[in-house]
């Protein structure tokens, strides 16, 4: 175990004393240390439920014979950061996330990792870290948001009685400017469009990258599609914790799954799903961390032969 370097032998007595300060038992220290990277916070809707996902992942790891240890990652909500100076701070968090995960993982010698992201720059930042560290790694995102719905049958409001998402809110601001809706109708929409936790409903970067994480081999089936509010998402998190221990026991690491072929499959899925064009910012960066290169000409070839299904 990598973690033996901080917990085995007389020379690590000082480290073990610090583990004792954490309340860890001898039995826990005899098991692999699994880092649980939590991007939980109270400012990003896609991350407000991640504390529940973390607890489920921890349970899965413990059930499968590991010792889960949680540490944090930052997250920016692109929706809240949009339209002001805050948007200048979004993309750079991708590198901050990757770097900070590398620092904490290397410093504490984790044996395996479970990454729990959800939104735009957090998923690729964690994927970059996974490729860079090359440990047994599984992803379990917070899941997508359910659509909102504007009740009623108001013929003067083109959004009345329809499912809504964040996209509709941006469109509605334009609709107000040209007189398609009034201020009262806009306020009704803003209370209905985003009903609760999860990555904003729509094929934006978050849901795109969560789907592509499955194709890259690091997310279990359903990682990109099971809604955030469901019991199935909690069950998926438990299975993610069990799965990382299975990878650890078999000696399967991130780069063994993040192959040239899996990136090509990811690009094909990208085209089939009509994913966010931001994936062309992120997939090459993730591939680079895995020691691979994505040829942009090949992206066009894959696009030309892949039908757009949805």
């Amino acid at each position: 175990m990598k973690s033996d370097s901080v917990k085995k032998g007389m020379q690590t007595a000082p480290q073990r004393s610090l583990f004792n300060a954490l309340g860890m038992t001898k039995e826990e220290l005899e098991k692999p240390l699994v880092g649980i990277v939590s991007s939980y916070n109270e400012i990003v809707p896609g991350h407000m439920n991640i504390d529940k996902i973390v607890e489920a992942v921890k349970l899965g790891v413990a059930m499968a014979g590991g010792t889960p240890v949680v540490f944090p990652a930052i997250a920016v909500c692109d929706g809240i950061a949009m339209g002001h100076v805050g948007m200048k701070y979004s993309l750079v968090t991708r590198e901050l996330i990757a770097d900070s995960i590398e620092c904490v993982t290397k410093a504490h010698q984790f044996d395996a990792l479970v990454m729990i992201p959800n939104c735009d720059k957090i998923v690729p930042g964690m994927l970059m870290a996974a490729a860079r560290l090359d440990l047994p790694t599984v992803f379990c995102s917070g899941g997508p948001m359910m659509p909102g719905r504007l009740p009623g049958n108001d013929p003067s409001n083109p959004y009345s009685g329809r499912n809504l998402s964040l996209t509709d809110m941006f469109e509605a601001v334009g609709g107000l400017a040209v007189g398609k809706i009034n201020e009262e109708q806009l306020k009704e929409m803003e209370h209905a469009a985003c009903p609760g936790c999860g990555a904003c409903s729509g094929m934006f970067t978050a849901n795109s990258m969560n789907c592509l994480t499955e194709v890259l081999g690091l997310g279990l089936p359903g990682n990109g599609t099971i809604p955030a509010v469901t019991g199935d998402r909690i069950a998926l998190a438990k299975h993610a914790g069990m799965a990382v221990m299975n990878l650890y026991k078999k000696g399967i690491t991130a780069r063994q799954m993040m192959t040239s072929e899996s990136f090509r499959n990811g690009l094909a899925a990208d085209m089939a799903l009509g994913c966010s064009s931001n994936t062309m910012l992120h997939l090459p960066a993730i591939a680079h961390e895995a020691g691979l290169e994505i040829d942009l000409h090949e992206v066009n070839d894959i696009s030309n032969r892949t039908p757009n299904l949805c």
Side-chain angles (χ1 to χ4, degrees):
M1 287 187 278
K2 284 183 181 293
S3 60
D4 284 349
S5 60
V6 295
K7 63 187 186 182
K8 292 288 186 183
M10 290 302 100
Q11 73 279 5
T12 64
Q15 286 92 331
R16 286 196 301 276
S17 71
L18 293 169
F19 283 118
N20 289 334
L22 293 168
M24 281 202 185
T25 64
K26 176 177 176 289
E27 291 80 7
E28 286 175 298
L29 290 178
E30 289 172 349
K31 299 174 182 178
L33 292 183
V34 181
I36 313 295
V37 189
S38 168
S39 54
Y40 167 76
N41 61 50
E42 295 181 343
I43 189 61
V44 185
H47 294 240
M48 62 188 282
N49 66 318
I50 279 178
D51 56 337
K52 309 296 190 299
I53 304 294
V54 167
E55 291 306 312
V57 168
K58 287 173 64 179
L59 186 58
V61 168
M63 285 192 293
T67 297
V69 184
V70 179
F71 66 92
I74 63 170
V76 163
C77 176
D78 275 27
I80 295 174
M82 197 173 293
H84 56 90
V85 68
M87 187 42 59
K88 294 182 179 182
Y89 289 85
S90 177
L91 182 56
V92 295
T93 64
R94 188 185 71 177
E95 272 63 33
L96 292 173
I97 290 163
D99 291 348
S100 63
I101 292 171
E102 178 188 5
C103 288
V104 175
T105 300
K106 289 285 192 180
H108 302 101
Q109 294 291 284
F110 289 115
D111 297 297
L113 295 168
V114 180
M115 307 279 199
I116 310 179
N118 211 18
C119 293
D120 291 359
K121 308 309 182 292
I122 301 86
V123 185
M126 289 192 183
L127 284 166
M128 289 167 64
R132 190 183 299 177
L133 291 162
D134 195 27
L135 292 171
T137 306
V138 174
F139 276 63
C140 182
S141 79
M145 185 185 292
M146 296 294 287
R149 189 168 184 86
L150 192 64
N153 185 24
D154 180 359
S156 69
N157 186 347
Y159 297 97
S160 182
R162 278 180 44 187
N163 282 350
L164 298 177
S165 71
L166 185 64
T167 300
D168 296 302
M169 290 310 305
F170 287 116
E171 291 178 356
V173 171
L176 176 68
V178 297
K180 287 186 176 180
I181 61 172
N182 57 42
E183 288 188 19
E184 183 179 344
Q185 291 168 330
L186 182 66
K187 287 185 181 295
E188 288 176 350
M189 290 178 65
E190 72 185 56
H191 285 287
C194 299
C197 65
C200 297
S201 52
M203 214 55 186
F204 311 123
T205 309
N207 290 322
S208 298
M209 291 305 304
N210 282 325
C211 288
L212 296 189
T213 300
E214 291 186 41
V215 187
L216 292 176
L218 295 176
L220 299 181
N223 179 67
T225 53
I226 297 172
V229 295
T230 62
D232 283 346
R233 175 60 57 178
I234 299 298
L236 181 75
K238 293 175 185 176
H239 282 125
M242 297 179 212
V244 80
M245 293 309 301
N246 185 44
L247 293 181
Y248 172 78
K249 289 166 187 174
K250 292 182 177 179
I252 300 172
T253 64
R255 287 199 193 186
Q256 290 172 255
M257 295 180 283
M258 301 169 86
T259 63
S260 294
E261 185 60 30
S262 69
F263 277 98
R264 282 192 287 271
N265 286 340
L267 287 165
D270 189 326
M271 306 306 168
L273 296 173
C275 288
S276 167
S277 57
N278 283 338
T279 57
M280 286 300 98
L281 283 176
H282 301 311
L283 283 178
I286 297 161
H288 175 74
E289 296 290 354
L292 304 170
E293 186 175 344
I294 290 178
D295 183 342
L296 293 182
H297 294 96
E298 189 174 16
V299 175
N300 284 336
D301 293 339
I302 293 170
S303 177
N304 288 335
R305 65 174 182 262
T306 306
N308 177 232
L309 301 178
C310 59

